[in-house]
Amino acid sequence: MKAYRARLLRFDDASGQPLYDEDGLLVVGPDAHGQAVVRAAGAHAALIDRFPGVAVEDLRPRLITPGFVDLHIHYPQTDVIGAPAAGLLPWLENYTFPHESRFHEPAYARGVAEFFLDELARNGVTTALTFATSHPASVNAMFEAAQARGLRFITGKVLQDRHSPDGVRDHTEQSLIDTEALIRRWHGVDRLGYAITPRFAPTSTPAQLRGAGELAAKYPDVWIQSHVAENLDEIRWAAELFPDSASYLGVYGDFGLLRERAVYAHCIHLSAADRALMARTGTVAAVSPTSNQFLGSGFFDYAAADAAGMRYGLASDVGGGTSFSPFRTMLAAYVVGREGQTKPGLSLTPAQLWWQHTAGAARALGLEGVVGNLLPGCEADFVVLNPQATPLLARKTAQAHSLDELLFALIVLGDDRVVERTVIAGR
Ligand code: GUN
Ligand code: FE
């Protein structure tokens, strides 16, 4: 067992409200299966006598928070960040598809996977739901790298059997055989999970989507990830290709791809009926504000999502997104929240933004009480943040008189320099 004395942030499971101790203690130790978990978290004064003899590392004035959970990211697009293309479809055609075609090569995929995981760790992200490419080798490379680091991590082979160039386009039947083989090989091994991954409706035939839906029904605790309602040209295209579906989101519903553990990036241009469908099916929106700003896609409507009772959480969407840093994503989300704001005050409070990227994102994945929080029993994935990492941050956080002021200073001014340590499974 080991204990850390620091400022300590975690969240109430039921309400999502922050629980904060200015002088906190986090106690970590193995559970009955040998997995490193949180044994206790709270005020130092209230807990210290319960753990005599346990070594305490004093990290004050640093802040310990749950590791960040990125709900949607593409590891093969690490090198596509900042590609100069106007809008989603030209960006895919001119940069993303040609680049992704390189991932059939296992050694290349492995190298990018390792760099990507280093980058996640440097930025304090401890769990991600990531796209691979259409090549099974890209999935194996990612799982092997994540397994070696002991991460709780989810990925899957992209399905795209039409409207895709040579080099990334797959074959309907083989793509489904490959998907099932990868589920059987990787899902539930150590801390790894599989996601059935149709790229988006326009690049899959109805037969491929039907097969994906059948696998989703056969393996109900496997995740599903895709994109929806990101861009107006994309939405027009989907409507032309699937004229019998009520909407773009409805296409996925028609093939059995809306359910708990299904995560759709963007969800910008949805109707009220679409939002109700998401809420009814337990489908999750991965809000990707830096991507939406960079590609000019639009703004996620927080007020409408809340009114519908939709689940959502935050995502970087690298490489459409422009940063691995949760701080950049939270700041962009705050700005986006103001767009559709219906009530006075802050669009989203700093604690709400933080929750959407930690406990809220974990809840959206069905991993509540597993990751994204530091309540007793949660897996011991957390970050140590230095509020004095830069001169400006030191000055600003010294003036913070509340948790909101401290968190907002970090969100506005923070980046990877703030992340002093990223702890995975207690290490
Ligand atoms: N829609 C289909 N593929 C992609 C992708 O790779 N990135 C984004 N942002 N949208 C997509
Ligand atoms: Fe994406």
Side-chain angles (χ1 to χ4, degrees):
M1 267 210 283
K2 174 153 192 209
Y4 304 86
R5 184 174 186 177
R7 292 167 162 162
L8 180 61
L9 175 67
R10 64 264 181 232
F11 296 90
D12 181 71
D13 253 347
S15 67
Q17 290 300 311
L19 303 170
Y20 180 64
D21 288 288
E22 183 73 27
D23 185 5
L25 192 73
L26 179 70
V27 184
V28 171
D31 68 5
H33 312 286
Q35 174 73 46
V37 298
V38 175
R39 302 286 289 266
H44 176 269
L47 286 178
I48 189 64
D49 292 341
R50 276 177 47 200
F51 296 95
V54 173
V56 179
E57 185 176 356
D58 192 345
L59 292 168
R60 290 173 294 170
R62 293 170 187 78
L63 169 68
I64 290 179
T65 95
F68 292 100
V69 176
D70 194 327
L71 273 187
H72 176 81
I73 185 165
H74 301 250
Y75 97 79
Q77 294 176 13
T78 298
D79 295 304
V80 182
I81 294 177
L88 172 66
L89 300 178
W91 177 86
L92 285 173
E93 190 180 326
N94 297 325
Y95 285 96
T96 303
F97 289 159
H99 186 73
E100 289 192 10
S101 71
R102 304 179 68 173
F103 286 75
H104 68 93
E105 177 57 51
Y108 182 76
R110 179 68 187 228
V112 178
E114 295 289 357
F115 182 90
F116 172 86
L117 292 180
D118 286 346
E119 203 60 21
L120 290 188
R122 278 183 356 91
N123 284 284
V125 177
T126 49
T127 288
L129 173 57
T130 183
F131 270 51
T133 64
S134 57
H135 317 93
S138 75
V139 179
N140 289 325
M142 189 73 245
F143 275 134
E144 284 160 9
Q147 184 179 37
R149 296 175 190 227
L151 289 167
R152 184 162 286 286
F153 203 82
I154 308 166
T155 189
K157 179 201 129 44
V158 175
L159 299 167
Q160 52 180 124
D161 66 348
R162 66 165 167 176
H163 300 137
S164 306
D166 292 350
V168 294
R169 193 176 60 258
D170 59 11
H171 299 277
T172 313
E173 223 173 297
Q174 190 61 43
S175 71
L176 299 166
I177 291 169
D178 288 343
T179 295
E180 186 160 22
L182 288 164
I183 291 171
R184 287 170 174 274
R185 175 167 176 195
W186 290 111
H187 185 71
V189 173
D190 294 340
R191 303 176 78 198
L192 308 175
Y194 193 85
I196 297 166
T197 308
R199 177 160 216 121
F200 62 159
T203 51
S204 283
T205 59
Q208 194 177 46
L209 292 177
R210 192 171 303 113
E214 285 165 5
L215 287 172
K218 185 170 173 183
Y219 298 98
D221 66 338
V222 157
W223 283 270
I224 298 166
Q225 57 178 344
S226 191
H227 299 92
V228 75
E230 176 177 7
N231 166 288
L232 297 176
D233 294 329
E234 169 215 22
I235 291 168
R236 264 191 295 278
W237 194 20
E240 279 165 33
L241 292 168
F242 296 94
D244 297 335
S245 290
S247 68
Y248 183 3
L249 183 76
V251 174
Y252 297 117
D254 292 345
F255 290 105
L257 292 166
L258 301 181
R259 63 151 165 75
E260 307 241 332
R261 297 198 166 203
V263 179
Y264 286 81
H266 311 301
C267 301
I268 295 170
H269 310 281
L270 294 182
S271 67
D274 286 333
R275 290 191 179 91
L277 178 60
M278 290 205 59
R280 198 162 65 242
T281 53
T283 302
V284 174
V287 181
S288 308
T290 75
S291 171
N292 301 154
Q293 290 175 335
F294 181 71
L295 292 173
S297 304
F299 302 96
F300 182 79
D301 189 335
Y302 275 101
D306 287 339
M310 266 169 67
R311 288 195 209 176
Y312 55 79
L314 285 176
S316 67
D317 192 30
V318 159
T322 47
S323 176
F324 280 92
S325 176
F327 303 113
R328 298 281 67 75
T329 301
M330 290 188 284
L331 179 59
Y334 171 69
V335 173
V336 164
R338 280 205 309 244
E339 279 296 309
Q341 189 167 352
T342 52
K343 48 186 194 307
L346 294 179
S347 61
L348 296 156
T349 67
Q352 284 172 329
L353 292 161
W354 215 282
W355 180 83
Q356 287 178 28
H357 222 338
T358 54
R363 176 197 271 190
L365 288 173
L367 293 175
E368 184 175 2
V370 179
V371 292
N373 210 342
L374 293 172
L375 301 177
C378 288
E379 294 173 354
D381 293 349
F382 60 90
V383 289
V384 179
L385 305 181
N386 181 3
Q388 303 175 334
T390 71
L392 183 55
L393 256 172
R395 191 178 166 91
K396 187 72 193 166
T397 56
Q399 297 167 33
H401 296 301
S402 65
L403 176 64
D404 269 354
E405 289 180 8
L406 174 67
L407 296 182
F408 229 165
L410 291 165
I411 288 170
V412 173
L413 298 173
D415 56 33
D416 52 297
R417 291 171 292 182
V418 168
V419 181
E420 198 169 271
R421 199 186 305 180
T422 299
V423 177
I424 305 291
R427 291 195 301 166

